[in-house]
Amino acid sequence: MQYGKIDWNDIWKELMTTQQRLDKTGDKEGHWNKRENAERFWKRTQENSERTDSTLNELPLTSGSKVLDIGSGPGRLAIPIAKRVSHVTAVEPATGMMDILKENMEKQGIDNISCVSKRWEDVDVENDLDAPYDVIIASFSLGMPDINEAIQKMQQVSSKYVYLYWFAGTTPWEKHSITLWPALYGTNYVPGPKCDVLYNVLYNKGIYPEMHVFSMDYTNHFSCMDEAMDFYRDRYVIETQEQENLLRNYFRDVLVQENGQLVEKGISTRVRISWENK
């Protein structure tokens, strides 16, 4: 029996573009352009230093390594990696994230990070990068419509190792959206593509990566309900009082009291996909 070849990149494109079109949190760069959101993200990463340490320990870094961090955010990985290697190039399109990254570099006296304020899709290999890179990292930053093209560009500038981190299964924030979308917007929510699609895109390119699945706690802390609503109102683009009431009632049930704070708790399943170019 002969089977037709599935175009997994087309599946990625369809899921990603549908999810991004529906997602009112949706302009990710717009959300992370806001300083308060970038600061909240940075603070959350600092509260979970074990995750960062675990990632650093599994990366093949040496004092002479050149590293490319795609979707660096405020520097969760770029900052500590820069202390171990020769040079880091941090690609980050959101101005809020990039501002915090540069402030962190200044505070910690780090001068071996080059910042590229662009989406990976828009990066010019010749003019924006200092290829080749010994280690390329994209940590939960694969919101690219054409993942095949994105990986092709990574391969173009890679001299050895590529480490991608992505999601397996439905994330806690997607579960919220699946519940909320019909009530808020009168339509169903479509989650984005996961690691199964990514693996098959790589497989069809002749890349047979190692995969490691792990779980991670997901938390958001708020001092009060009004602070929580400021955060969620922005993420869900609330435009009417009815939507406001729905959102407040929903998260009043979801958030739990802990040490005088309101906490959103969840567990997400994630995957490290890595390979060595030989």
Side-chain angles (χ1 to χ4, degrees):
M1 185 179 293
Q2 190 170 15
Y3 297 95
K5 187 175 181 180
I6 297 173
D7 191 328
W8 290 95
N9 194 53
D10 278 350
I11 294 174
W12 179 281
K13 284 181 181 178
E14 182 178 354
L15 288 171
M16 185 62 73
T17 54
T18 299
Q19 190 266 341
Q20 289 179 343
R21 186 176 66 248
L22 286 172
D23 195 350
K24 303 298 182 179
T25 73
D27 178 6
K28 297 295 184 187
E29 289 168 38
H31 181 75
W32 298 121
N33 280 341
K34 296 183 178 180
R35 183 180 179 86
E36 60 268 28
N37 294 333
E39 286 179 333
R40 178 184 294 278
F41 180 88
W42 172 252
K43 181 180 179 182
R44 195 169 72 217
T45 66
Q46 299 313 289
E47 293 169 349
N48 192 6
S49 59
E50 296 86 359
R51 170 191 163 192
T52 298
D53 292 341
S54 175
T55 301
L56 293 179
N57 290 335
E58 67 195 17
L59 294 173
L61 303 174
T62 70
S63 59
S65 295
K66 286 173 57 182
V67 177
L68 174 63
D69 186 1
I70 301 170
S72 65
R76 180 183 75 87
L77 293 177
I79 293 288
I81 286 175
K83 298 175 182 178
R84 301 187 181 194
V85 304
S86 173
H87 188 80
V88 177
T89 298
V91 177
E92 173 55 54
T95 56
M97 291 291 204
M98 185 59 79
D99 287 346
I100 301 297
L101 170 58
K102 291 178 178 178
E103 289 175 15
N104 288 332
M105 289 168 56
E106 185 175 358
K107 287 176 185 176
Q108 300 191 38
I110 292 172
D111 59 5
N112 62 334
I113 299 179
S114 299
C115 298
V116 180
S117 300
K118 291 184 176 182
R119 300 185 309 161
W120 179 241
E121 302 94 294
D122 301 327
V123 165
D124 184 304
V125 168
E126 297 297 327
N127 296 318
D128 296 328
L129 303 179
D130 184 23
Y133 294 94
D134 304 295
V135 183
I136 295 176
I137 306 161
S139 181
F140 308 108
S141 56
L142 297 175
M144 304 150 184
D146 191 325
I147 195 64
N148 184 67
E149 185 179 279
I151 292 167
Q152 196 65 36
K153 188 182 288 188
M154 295 178 201
Q155 290 288 85
Q156 184 181 347
V157 299
S158 168
S159 62
K160 203 155 192 183
Y161 299 104
V162 181
Y163 279 73
L164 309 180
Y165 295 82
W166 200 234
F167 304 99
T170 308
T171 65
W173 50 94
E174 286 176 332
K175 290 177 182 177
H176 295 323
S177 295
I178 289 169
T179 301
L180 284 166
W181 243 243
L184 289 175
Y185 310 113
T187 187
N188 290 327
Y189 183 81
V190 179
K194 300 299 186 293
C195 64
D196 56 337
V197 183
L198 178 57
Y199 177 85
N200 281 289
V201 170
L202 292 168
Y203 192 92
N204 284 350
K205 292 174 69 63
I207 299 171
Y208 311 121
E210 295 183 5
M211 298 185 69
H212 171 68
V213 179
F214 58 100
S215 295
M216 185 179 297
D217 290 340
Y218 170 79
T219 59
N220 273 310
H221 294 81
F222 307 99
S223 61
C224 62
M225 194 64 197
D226 285 343
E227 182 186 346
M229 283 301 296
D230 287 342
F231 177 75
Y232 293 119
R233 191 183 297 112
D234 176 56
R235 293 196 68 183
Y236 291 93
V237 191
I238 298 304
E239 297 175 336
T240 69
Q241 188 60 49
E242 182 181 6
Q243 290 175 325
E244 172 93 9
N245 294 339
L246 283 166
L247 195 69
R248 183 177 290 272
N249 290 335
Y250 175 80
F251 280 106
R252 185 180 287 121
D253 292 336
V254 166
L255 300 178
V256 296
Q257 288 277 354
E258 191 173 275
N259 298 324
Q261 291 190 312
L262 291 173
V263 184
E264 176 193 353
K265 288 187 171 185
I267 297 177
S268 59
T269 304
R270 309 193 182 200
V271 63
R272 180 187 77 232
I273 302 178
S274 60
W275 66 94
E276 179 180 355
N277 292 311
K278 298 178 180 179

